[in-house]
Amino acid sequence: SSGINAEYGNGHRIVLTGGHLSAENNNDDNTHGLGNDFWCDPMTGVSHGGGVWAHEVSNFQDCPLASCRHGRVQGTDHGSGAHLKSGPEYGNYAIYVSRDAYHFPGV
């Protein structure tokens, strides 16, 4: 499953194919991707709790809310939520958007 501004009771800016995509009404904190916040409403842009559950990048993992005690995120850019654990950074990420380009320089 993939999506932009995915909502399922929580929010993620980008969820990529290959990961788990929770059902719309399943608040299990088990969808991972880029630009994540486990306590927000992505349809309104409102984040609750002062960013406690915000994290920029998380790896694909099976770590549902009820049993997850070691949710790994990349780097240290995350809130203070109890199960968000810092992990290694695997690289840099960039998103390119174009109306008419069929490739990008250097690709």
Side-chain angles (χ1 to χ4, degrees), residues 49-60:
V52 169
W53 295 108
H55 52 293
E56 292 303 320
V57 181
S58 63
N59 304 324
F60 294 145

Side-chain angles (χ1 to χ4, degrees), residues 76-95:
T76 60
D77 189 5
H78 60 80
S80 60
H83 71 261
L84 297 179
K85 306 297 181 201
S86 298
E89 296 178 29
Y90 294 110
N92 297 309
Y93 299 87
I95 299 166

Side-chain angles (χ1 to χ4, degrees), residues 9 40 48 53 68 82 88-89 98:
C40 78
H48 308 283
W53 295 108
C68 186
E89 296 178 29
S98 173

Side-chain angles (χ1 to χ4, degrees), residues 8-10 12 20-32 38 61-68 83:
Y8 71 103
N10 297 304
H12 303 278
H20 173 79
L21 184 60
S22 301
E24 183 176 351
N25 296 317
N26 186 7
N27 186 10
D28 65 357
D29 291 353
N30 204 21
T31 296
H32 306 280
F38 287 149
Q61 55 195 303
D62 186 18
C63 195
L65 179 63
S67 63
C68 186
H83 71 261

Side-chain angles (χ1 to χ4, degrees), residues 36-52:
N36 312 288
D37 192 334
F38 287 149
W39 197 10
C40 78
D41 182 341
M43 305 314 281
T44 64
V46 174
S47 180
H48 308 283
V52 169

